[in-house]
Amino acid sequence: MRVKKRSRHRKAVKFYATCFGFREPYKVLVDGTFVHHLLTQRLLPADDALRDLLSAARTPALFTSKCVVAELRRLGKSYADDFDAAQLLATANCEHDKVVSAVNCVLSLIGDKNPEHFFVATQDADLREKLREIPGVPVIYGLKNSLFIEQPSVQQRKFAQLDEEKRLNMDISEYKKLLKVTSEGKTAASETGSDGDQRERPISSLVKSALGVAEKSKFKRNRAKGPNPLSCKKKKPKPQTSGVQNQGAKADGESKRKRVRKRKRSHNDNKQAETTS
């Protein structure tokens, strides 16, 4: 599988996982046309091929329905291998008393919002076109010896965007609750305004309690503390006697170092001294 194709498939799977809640192990609903394609192109084992397609860590579960198996049985001996392979798959409960066509059976299992989070694997072009209009239905199809995931359609992207905006914005019922709570908060504030001991309850807490929002627990941050004063010793002052001794030693050394210079007398000076004497 090429790198670009694999990245496209991963983006598609991530879109359905983020917007519609698809989780591993994935469920793949298979019809008779896709089983026939797997056998003719020898894409076996099918669960390993689908796991590589979905880039899944766990092997996806393959499902079919009793209506799909009955349709393969009616096709005769030419599709006997397809019938035998379909019988080995898990059967989804379609709840049809009478056998219906495979297309109608798959659409009934998907419903309006695909509550079971099925990946639908089919080669039927009409069925694929109908599934594009249903939000949250990823479609898998085969082309020769390769498998592909259809990119999300425009309808599915619009539905995901509207759903996200709906979750972000306030609902009408929530807005009515907010108005009711704010009015109650104002009346409570006016009643308890004269009483000095009672305090007004903040409106934000009233709104959270009405909407059922749990308050976050406040955690104290461990800030850096100063050193323990008991473990820190004060600096002791140095004794002054040592300084005095040093000063005395320096004075003695300076006195010892002093030299007495003797003046050298010349021969003329000696004669003058003798004459004076």
Side-chain angles (χ1 to χ4, degrees):
M1 187 182 295
R2 295 180 180 179
V3 177
K4 290 185 179 180
K5 185 171 70 172
R6 185 182 290 273
S7 64
R8 282 202 309 270
H9 293 166
R10 284 181 178 176
K11 287 180 181 179
V13 174
K14 188 176 180 180
F15 170 80
Y16 289 107
T18 305
C19 299
F20 298 100
F22 281 69
R23 296 292 181 269
E24 292 191 33
Y26 300 122
K27 300 178 182 178
V28 182
L29 183 61
V30 179
D31 69 346
T33 59
F34 193 77
V35 172
H36 180 71
H37 179 79
L38 291 175
L39 293 177
T40 54
Q41 298 297 328
R42 297 180 181 179
L43 296 172
L44 301 173
D47 51 359
D48 291 342
L50 290 170
R51 183 179 61 184
D52 294 339
L53 175 68
L54 301 174
S55 298
R58 303 171 63 181
T59 303
L62 303 182
F63 290 87
T64 188
S65 65
K66 61 181 182 180
C67 297
V68 173
V69 176
E71 188 178 63
L72 290 173
R73 183 188 301 166
R74 288 198 302 266
L75 292 176
K77 295 181 180 180
S78 58
Y79 291 89
D81 295 337
D82 302 340
F83 172 72
D84 295 336
Q87 281 186 323
L88 299 176
L89 303 178
T91 304
N93 295 324
C94 60
E95 297 180 357
H96 290 141
D97 296 333
K98 295 182 180 181
V99 177
V100 297
S101 64
V103 174
N104 294 331
C105 183
V106 170
L107 291 175
S108 65
L109 287 172
I110 295 301
D112 295 334
K113 294 183 179 180
N114 192 11
E116 295 294 330
H117 300 97
F118 279 121
F119 283 81
V120 180
T122 180
Q123 296 295 107
D124 192 345
D126 296 335
L127 178 58
R128 286 164 54 187
E129 187 176 356
K130 292 178 181 179
L131 292 174
R132 291 191 194 103
E133 299 176 358
I134 302 174
V137 184
V139 178
I140 298 173
Y141 66 97
L143 187 61
K144 293 183 180 181
N145 60 350
S146 300
L147 298 178
F148 295 88
I149 302 175
E150 280 192 359
Q151 295 301 310
S153 61
V154 178
Q155 292 85 350
Q156 292 179 350
R157 292 187 182 276
K158 285 183 179 179
F159 182 84
Q161 185 177 2
L162 292 174
D163 188 34
E164 185 178 0
E165 291 178 356
K166 183 179 179 182
R167 283 181 291 177
L168 293 175
N169 296 330
M170 188 179 295
D171 195 5
I172 298 175
S173 60
E174 294 177 349
Y175 183 71
K176 290 181 179 179
K177 286 182 181 180
L178 179 62
L179 292 177
K180 183 179 179 181
V181 167
T182 51
S183 61
E184 290 177 357
K186 289 179 180 179
T187 54
S190 61
E191 291 176 358
T192 60
S194 59
D195 194 357
D197 297 334
Q198 294 181 353
R199 294 181 179 180
E200 179 185 355
R201 188 179 178 186
I203 297 176
S204 60
S205 62
L206 295 172
V207 172
K208 289 181 179 179
S209 62
L211 298 178
V213 179
E215 294 184 358
K216 295 182 179 179
S217 58
K218 297 180 179 180
F219 295 98
K220 294 182 178 180
R221 294 182 178 179
N222 295 327
R223 296 181 179 178
K225 298 179 180 179
N228 188 0
L230 298 177
S231 64
C232 298
K233 293 184 179 181
K234 296 181 179 179
K235 293 183 179 180
K236 295 181 179 180
K238 294 181 180 181
Q240 298 179 356
T241 56
S242 61
V244 173
Q245 291 176 359
N246 294 332
Q247 290 178 359
K250 288 181 180 178
D252 295 338
E254 290 177 357
S255 61
K256 288 180 181 179
R257 288 177 185 175
K258 289 182 180 180
R259 288 182 178 180
V260 178
R261 294 183 178 180
K262 293 182 180 181
R263 184 178 178 183
K264 292 182 180 181
R265 294 181 177 182
S266 62
H267 182 68
N268 296 326
D269 295 335
N270 292 331
K271 285 183 178 181
Q272 289 178 4
E274 288 177 358
T275 54
T276 54
S277 60

